[in-house]
Amino acid sequence: MHGLLATSLGVTCAAALTLPLAPPAGAAPEPPAPMAEAAAAVAGAARPDLPQAPGAPPRAASATPDLPGSTQSLPLAPLARDRALGGAGDQGLPRRDVRHFSLLGVVWNDPDTPLHGRVQVRTRAAGTHAWSGWQDLETHNDDHGADPGTAERTSGHVRAGTAPLWVGDSDGVEVRVHGEDTDRHGGTGTTRAALTTPGAAAALPKGLRLELIDPGTEDTRAVHLSAEAAGTRQLRPAALDAEARAASAANADLAPVGALEIPALDRAQTRSELLSLRSGQLTAAQKAKPYIGPRPRIVTRRGWGADEKLREKSFVYTSKVKAAFVHHTASGNTYKCSQAPSLIRGIYRYHVRSMGWRDIGYNFLVDKCGTIYEGRAGGVAKAVLGAHTLGFNTNSMGIAVIGTFGSTKPPAAAVTAVARLTAWKLGLYGGNPKGKTYLKSGGGNLYRKGKNVRLNVISGHRDGFATECPGRQLYGKLGTARSSAARLQGR
């Protein structure tokens, strides 16, 4: 396990801090929204969103109820008590009523500017007077995203942001952002003025905004179908718009267009499918004795209710899948498994609308009950280029276990799901889950751009970037996942 950087540049996509900050005394008037797409936003106003993809009721194909979602984007303002200091002070929002939301994060303009400090939020449960305690957002989230120099990274739309936090149905919020004190962490990233003022705070990034995500109505039609449920849930193709049809058609070799899930296969069926899908890429030895785990059940994007109009239309692929990077979402552990589809819709909207990515960053997600979900569009059996491990997205896939696993142990069901998924997906490309492979770095804080790096075929995010992700407890279970995946492959 790699050691973390000792300075404030050390990256932590897992830990939640617990020390309280002094509450703000007030708030200054909010400045104009700095982003073009949020130019009309004012305090309490929402950013307009694109039309939503149609949904579908449980086991019915004739009706398609809406799964509305929205993003409220609120600019943060200097807090009154800090303006009096004359330095780079705290920013935030005082308590306020807002429209319903369930997931939140804070973003800022420059994706290459880190936030040296703390972001804390408290929320009010919808329809109550009950406010939560202060909760920390993971500020070091720059270890996720597209590789430097790629079209996705240089699109001009990408912003930096915290990890998103799931808070459940809420209608009130308060935020405070505090730059870390320079007498403790002076140096890189601090201004000259801050360095000459004992106890001053580091300058905060420009364009800080609070993003409040409503993932849409709880969708009971599809996603948390029991693993024992028989058959493939699907909709009539006529119920799909063009974008939804394209995303579903990318899996047409595995399930009918419109399917809400890709069903599990047994070992013999999986090997037959392998020969059908990749016969031209297999060696004679691989054809004679393929090492691949049985295909697990996977909930499709259609199944978890993705609005396919949010993402970019085209799919981007890499050459092969040589490695799997395991992550955690750092979004908290309070969700119910039945809420996982909503949480994924929230992360998807946050990645695309708030951070400016082309699609959700992860190739797959796994909830605490072990359900596997399709992530970035393009086909679950294909080598889809993700935005999950900065510097190592090429020829890899990213699997995010939903939750925060720094001090909390991951459920056994989730670890088993990671093993089953990697046994199958790596097997499609000849990968040995207990083996090593080489990937060329696209640039990061551990390896320079162009360096060939020897990595475990199943690696943790921290193996490619100095970060806490996927959390100490989940990282400690990767050995178990490797052994289980290899055994499922018949090794």
Side-chain angles (χ1 to χ4, degrees):
M1 183 173 66
H2 293 288
L4 302 180
L5 303 181
T7 70
S8 61
L9 289 176
V11 184
T12 57
C13 81
L17 303 176
T18 56
L19 296 175
L21 295 173
E30 294 166 344
M35 311 304 295
E37 71 178 42
V42 293
R47 211 160 48 199
D49 289 290
L50 292 174
Q52 303 299 301
R59 296 169 179 78
S62 59
T64 55
D66 290 336
L67 289 172
S70 64
T71 302
Q72 300 173 73
S73 186
L74 309 177
L76 304 190
L79 298 177
R81 66 184 179 89
D82 295 294
R83 289 203 312 271
L85 297 176
D90 293 1
Q91 294 189 33
L93 288 175
R95 286 191 185 189
R96 66 175 60 196
D97 297 335
V98 293
R99 295 199 314 273
H100 284 238
F101 69 97
S102 298
L103 181 137
L104 57 77
V106 170
V107 300
W108 54 96
N109 293 353
D110 187 353
D112 296 317
T113 298
L115 192 161
H116 296 299
R118 298 178 65 184
V119 178
Q120 291 187 308
V121 299
R122 57 186 311 193
T123 57
R124 184 183 62 208
T128 75
H129 298 288
W131 285 83
S132 72
W134 288 105
Q135 300 183 76
D136 285 88
L137 302 187
E138 178 48 64
T139 59
H140 297 296
N141 196 42
D142 55 348
D143 47 353
H144 297 79
D147 290 345
T150 60
E152 182 172 1
R153 180 74 176 187
T154 59
S155 67
H157 304 300
V158 175
R159 293 180 284 279
T162 68
L165 180 68
W166 177 261
V167 294
D169 190 17
S170 304
D171 60 10
V173 69
E174 183 177 4
V175 186
R176 59 194 187 194
V177 182
H178 177 70
E180 63 187 4
D181 294 337
T182 57
D183 57 358
R184 293 182 57 202
H185 300 290
T188 303
T190 58
T191 64
R192 180 180 299 276
L195 287 173
T196 57
T197 305
L204 295 173
K206 294 181 179 179
L208 288 167
R209 305 184 68 83
L210 173 66
E211 304 286 290
L212 303 176
I213 312 296
D214 170 16
T217 305
E218 188 66 39
D219 183 15
T220 59
R221 67 174 188 205
V223 181
H224 209 62
L225 299 170
S226 67
E228 294 80 20
T232 299
R233 276 67 176 173
Q234 65 184 88
L235 302 177
R236 291 185 304 181
L240 305 175
D241 59 25
E243 292 81 4
R245 178 184 289 272
S248 186
N251 291 314
D253 290 332
L254 312 182
V257 172
L260 302 180
E261 62 178 68
I262 296 168
L265 298 181
D266 62 25
R267 186 177 302 277
Q269 291 170 324
T270 300
R271 289 184 175 182
S272 176
E273 180 183 73
L274 171 65
L275 296 176
S276 173
L277 293 176
R278 298 189 53 78
S279 179
Q281 291 77 40
L282 300 177
T283 65
Q286 288 173 326
K287 290 179 181 180
K289 188 177 182 180
Y291 291 103
I292 186 169
R295 188 181 78 192
R297 170 181 171 267
I298 302 171
V299 174
T300 64
R301 291 171 63 91
R302 183 68 175 171
W304 54 259
D307 177 357
E308 300 294 354
K309 292 183 180 295
L310 289 179
R311 62 169 175 82
E312 292 190 16
K313 290 185 178 181
S314 63
F315 308 137
V316 181
Y317 298 94
T318 184
S319 299
K320 61 187 70 174
V321 179
K322 297 173 64 177
F325 286 98
V326 178
H327 304 254
H328 67 174
T329 59
S331 52
N333 301 316
T334 60
Y335 72 96
K336 300 176 182 177
C337 290
S338 60
Q339 295 175 314
S342 294
L343 205 160
I344 295 170
R345 291 198 301 274
I347 293 174
Y348 170 44
R349 180 173 284 273
Y350 184 70
H351 281 180
V352 177
R353 281 297 201 193
S354 301
M355 299 194 70
W357 299 359
R358 62 177 294 116
D359 195 351
I360 192 170
Y362 307 114
N363 298 104
F364 297 93
L365 299 97
V366 175
D367 71 21
K368 63 175 71 175
C369 291
T371 301
I372 300 169
Y373 302 85
E374 178 183 12
R376 182 165 285 208
V380 297
K382 299 175 183 178
V384 178
L385 181 66
H388 48 84
T389 305
L390 189 71
F392 290 101
N393 291 305
T394 299
N395 293 338
S396 72
M397 67 174 179
I399 303 169
V401 181
I402 302 172
T404 303
F405 301 107
S407 58
T408 301
K409 293 182 179 180
V415 177
T416 297
V418 170
R420 295 180 64 214
L421 175 58
T422 52
W424 171 69
K425 183 64 181 278
L426 291 172
L428 290 174
Y429 294 86
N432 180 352
K434 294 184 71 175
K436 304 279 187 179
T437 191
Y438 281 90
L439 294 178
K440 181 177 289 187
S441 173
N445 66 0
L446 274 182
Y447 303 105
R448 60 173 173 79
K449 184 175 182 178
K451 180 177 176 60
N452 283 316
V453 182
R454 188 168 183 259
L455 295 162
N456 287 311
V457 170
I458 298 179
S459 284
H461 188 180
R462 63 174 63 183
D463 293 319
F465 201 95
T467 172
E468 285 283 354
C469 190
R472 178 174 57 87
Q473 295 288 349
L474 179 54
Y475 188 79
K477 293 294 184 180
L478 294 189
T480 299
R482 295 183 190 107
S483 297
S484 298
R487 184 169 58 254
L488 287 167
Q489 286 190 344
R491 295 182 186 273

Short mmCIF file of all heavy atoms in Angstrom, two decimals, residues 8 86-89 113-114 116 179-183 185-206:
data_model
loop_
_atom_site.label_atom_id
_atom_site.label_comp_id
_atom_site.label_asym_id
_atom_site.label_seq_id
_atom_site.Cartn_x
_atom_site.Cartn_y
_atom_site.Cartn_z
N SER A 8 -0.33 18.97 2.45
CA SER A 8 -1.76 19.14 2.21
C SER A 8 -2.16 18.64 0.85
O SER A 8 -3.33 18.58 0.53
CB SER A 8 -2.13 20.62 2.32
OG SER A 8 -1.43 21.38 1.37
N GLY A 86 -9.88 40.33 6.68
CA GLY A 86 -9.14 40.90 5.56
C GLY A 86 -8.32 39.88 4.81
O GLY A 86 -7.52 40.25 3.96
N GLY A 87 -8.47 38.61 5.09
CA GLY A 87 -7.68 37.58 4.41
C GLY A 87 -8.55 36.72 3.54
O GLY A 87 -9.68 37.04 3.21
N ALA A 88 -7.97 35.58 3.15
CA ALA A 88 -8.72 34.61 2.34
C ALA A 88 -9.60 33.82 3.29
O ALA A 88 -9.17 32.85 3.88
CB ALA A 88 -7.76 33.70 1.58
N GLY A 89 -10.85 34.27 3.45
CA GLY A 89 -11.69 33.73 4.50
C GLY A 89 -12.58 32.60 4.07
O GLY A 89 -12.55 32.13 2.93
N THR A 113 -6.98 22.98 -9.78
CA THR A 113 -6.76 23.68 -8.51
C THR A 113 -7.34 22.88 -7.36
O THR A 113 -8.56 22.66 -7.32
CB THR A 113 -7.40 25.08 -8.54
OG1 THR A 113 -6.79 25.87 -9.57
CG2 THR A 113 -7.21 25.79 -7.20
N PRO A 114 -6.50 22.44 -6.41
CA PRO A 114 -7.03 21.69 -5.27
C PRO A 114 -7.66 22.63 -4.24
O PRO A 114 -7.37 23.83 -4.21
CB PRO A 114 -5.79 21.00 -4.69
CG PRO A 114 -4.66 21.93 -5.04
CD PRO A 114 -5.03 22.53 -6.38
N HIS A 116 -7.54 23.25 -0.51
CA HIS A 116 -6.81 22.94 0.72
C HIS A 116 -7.64 23.42 1.90
O HIS A 116 -7.59 24.59 2.28
CB HIS A 116 -5.44 23.63 0.73
CG HIS A 116 -4.53 23.15 -0.36
ND1 HIS A 116 -4.12 21.85 -0.46
CD2 HIS A 116 -3.95 23.82 -1.39
CE1 HIS A 116 -3.33 21.72 -1.50
NE2 HIS A 116 -3.23 22.89 -2.09
N GLY A 179 -10.56 27.33 4.51
CA GLY A 179 -9.20 27.05 4.04
C GLY A 179 -8.33 26.63 5.21
O GLY A 179 -8.43 27.19 6.30
N GLU A 180 -7.46 25.65 4.99
CA GLU A 180 -6.65 25.15 6.09
C GLU A 180 -5.68 26.22 6.57
O GLU A 180 -5.20 27.06 5.79
CB GLU A 180 -5.90 23.89 5.68
CG GLU A 180 -4.90 24.07 4.57
CD GLU A 180 -4.34 22.74 4.11
OE1 GLU A 180 -4.78 21.69 4.59
OE2 GLU A 180 -3.46 22.77 3.25
N ASP A 181 -5.41 26.21 7.86
CA ASP A 181 -4.55 27.23 8.46
C ASP A 181 -3.11 27.06 7.99
O ASP A 181 -2.54 25.97 8.03
CB ASP A 181 -4.60 27.14 9.98
CG ASP A 181 -5.98 27.48 10.53
OD1 ASP A 181 -6.72 28.19 9.82
OD2 ASP A 181 -6.30 27.04 11.64
N THR A 182 -2.48 28.17 7.58
CA THR A 182 -1.13 28.09 7.04
C THR A 182 -0.09 27.85 8.12
O THR A 182 1.02 27.45 7.81
CB THR A 182 -0.79 29.38 6.28
OG1 THR A 182 -0.93 30.50 7.17
CG2 THR A 182 -1.72 29.56 5.10
N ASP A 183 -0.41 28.12 9.40
CA ASP A 183 0.59 27.82 10.42
C ASP A 183 0.71 26.32 10.65
O ASP A 183 1.65 25.85 11.27
CB ASP A 183 0.28 28.54 11.75
CG ASP A 183 -1.11 28.20 12.28
OD1 ASP A 183 -1.85 27.44 11.62
OD2 ASP A 183 -1.45 28.72 13.36
N HIS A 185 -0.27 24.08 7.72
CA HIS A 185 -0.03 23.48 6.41
C HIS A 185 0.36 24.56 5.40
O HIS A 185 -0.15 24.58 4.29
CB HIS A 185 -1.29 22.76 5.92
CG HIS A 185 -1.72 21.66 6.83
ND1 HIS A 185 -1.02 20.50 6.95
CD2 HIS A 185 -2.78 21.56 7.67
CE1 HIS A 185 -1.63 19.70 7.82
NE2 HIS A 185 -2.69 20.32 8.27
N GLY A 186 1.27 25.44 5.74
CA GLY A 186 1.73 26.44 4.81
C GLY A 186 2.51 25.80 3.69
O GLY A 186 2.97 24.68 3.75
N GLY A 187 2.67 26.56 2.59
CA GLY A 187 3.46 26.02 1.49
C GLY A 187 2.65 26.01 0.22
O GLY A 187 1.95 26.98 -0.10
N THR A 188 2.75 24.95 -0.51
CA THR A 188 2.13 24.85 -1.83
C THR A 188 0.65 25.20 -1.77
O THR A 188 -0.08 24.68 -0.96
CB THR A 188 2.30 23.43 -2.38
OG1 THR A 188 3.68 23.12 -2.41
CG2 THR A 188 1.75 23.35 -3.80
N GLY A 189 0.25 26.06 -2.68
CA GLY A 189 -1.17 26.39 -2.80
C GLY A 189 -1.60 27.57 -1.94
O GLY A 189 -2.72 28.03 -2.04
N THR A 190 -0.75 28.10 -1.09
CA THR A 190 -1.13 29.23 -0.26
C THR A 190 -0.62 30.53 -0.87
O THR A 190 0.36 30.55 -1.60
CB THR A 190 -0.54 29.09 1.16
OG1 THR A 190 0.88 28.97 1.07
CG2 THR A 190 -1.07 27.84 1.83
N THR A 191 -1.31 31.62 -0.58
CA THR A 191 -0.92 32.91 -1.14
C THR A 191 0.15 33.55 -0.27
O THR A 191 0.35 33.20 0.89
CB THR A 191 -2.13 33.84 -1.19
OG1 THR A 191 -2.58 34.09 0.16
CG2 THR A 191 -3.29 33.21 -1.97
N ARG A 192 0.86 34.54 -0.88
CA ARG A 192 1.89 35.26 -0.12
C ARG A 192 1.28 35.97 1.08
O ARG A 192 1.82 35.96 2.18
CB ARG A 192 2.60 36.27 -1.03
CG ARG A 192 3.70 37.07 -0.33
CD ARG A 192 4.36 38.04 -1.31
NE ARG A 192 4.97 37.34 -2.43
CZ ARG A 192 6.19 36.81 -2.38
NH1 ARG A 192 6.92 36.91 -1.28
NH2 ARG A 192 6.69 36.21 -3.43
N ALA A 193 0.09 36.57 0.88
CA ALA A 193 -0.56 37.27 1.99
C ALA A 193 -0.88 36.32 3.12
O ALA A 193 -0.71 36.63 4.30
CB ALA A 193 -1.83 37.96 1.49
N ALA A 194 -1.37 35.13 2.75
CA ALA A 194 -1.71 34.16 3.78
C ALA A 194 -0.48 33.69 4.53
O ALA A 194 -0.52 33.50 5.75
CB ALA A 194 -2.43 32.96 3.15
N LEU A 195 0.62 33.54 3.81
CA LEU A 195 1.83 33.03 4.45
C LEU A 195 2.43 34.05 5.41
O LEU A 195 3.16 33.70 6.33
CB LEU A 195 2.87 32.65 3.39
CG LEU A 195 2.55 31.36 2.61
CD1 LEU A 195 3.55 31.18 1.47
CD2 LEU A 195 2.60 30.15 3.53
N THR A 196 2.15 35.33 5.19
CA THR A 196 2.71 36.34 6.07
C THR A 196 1.79 36.70 7.22
O THR A 196 2.11 37.55 8.03
CB THR A 196 3.03 37.61 5.25
OG1 THR A 196 1.83 38.05 4.61
CG2 THR A 196 4.11 37.33 4.21
N THR A 197 0.63 36.06 7.28
CA THR A 197 -0.32 36.31 8.36
C THR A 197 -0.43 35.07 9.23
O THR A 197 -0.99 34.07 8.80
CB THR A 197 -1.71 36.66 7.80
OG1 THR A 197 -1.59 37.76 6.91
CG2 THR A 197 -2.67 37.00 8.93
N PRO A 198 0.14 35.09 10.44
CA PRO A 198 0.08 33.90 11.29
C PRO A 198 -1.35 33.43 11.49
O PRO A 198 -2.24 34.22 11.80
CB PRO A 198 0.71 34.37 12.60
CG PRO A 198 1.56 35.55 12.22
CD PRO A 198 0.84 36.21 11.09
N GLY A 199 -1.58 32.12 11.27
CA GLY A 199 -2.90 31.55 11.49
C GLY A 199 -3.89 31.84 10.39
O GLY A 199 -5.05 31.49 10.50
N ALA A 200 -3.43 32.52 9.28
CA ALA A 200 -4.35 32.81 8.19
C ALA A 200 -4.70 31.53 7.45
O ALA A 200 -4.03 30.52 7.56
CB ALA A 200 -3.70 33.81 7.22
N ALA A 201 -5.79 31.60 6.69
CA ALA A 201 -6.24 30.43 5.96
C ALA A 201 -5.77 30.51 4.51
O ALA A 201 -5.63 31.59 3.93
CB ALA A 201 -7.76 30.34 6.00
N ALA A 202 -5.52 29.34 3.91
CA ALA A 202 -5.15 29.28 2.51
C ALA A 202 -6.29 29.79 1.65
O ALA A 202 -7.46 29.66 2.00
CB ALA A 202 -4.80 27.85 2.13
N ALA A 203 -5.94 30.38 0.51
CA ALA A 203 -6.95 30.89 -0.40
C ALA A 203 -7.80 29.73 -0.93
O ALA A 203 -7.28 28.67 -1.25
CB ALA A 203 -6.30 31.64 -1.56
N LEU A 204 -9.10 29.95 -1.01
CA LEU A 204 -10.00 28.94 -1.53
C LEU A 204 -10.10 29.08 -3.05
O LEU A 204 -9.90 30.17 -3.60
CB LEU A 204 -11.38 29.10 -0.90
CG LEU A 204 -11.45 28.84 0.60
CD1 LEU A 204 -12.84 29.19 1.13
CD2 LEU A 204 -11.11 27.39 0.93
N PRO A 205 -10.41 28.01 -3.76
CA PRO A 205 -10.55 28.09 -5.22
C PRO A 205 -11.67 29.04 -5.63
O PRO A 205 -12.61 29.30 -4.88
CB PRO A 205 -10.90 26.65 -5.62
CG PRO A 205 -10.46 25.80 -4.48
CD PRO A 205 -10.62 26.65 -3.26
N LYS A 206 -11.59 29.53 -6.84
CA LYS A 206 -12.60 30.44 -7.36
C LYS A 206 -13.82 29.67 -7.86
O LYS A 206 -13.71 28.56 -8.35
CB LYS A 206 -12.02 31.28 -8.49
CG LYS A 206 -10.91 32.22 -8.04
CD LYS A 206 -10.39 33.04 -9.22
CE LYS A 206 -9.29 34.01 -8.76
NZ LYS A 206 -8.76 34.80 -9.90
#
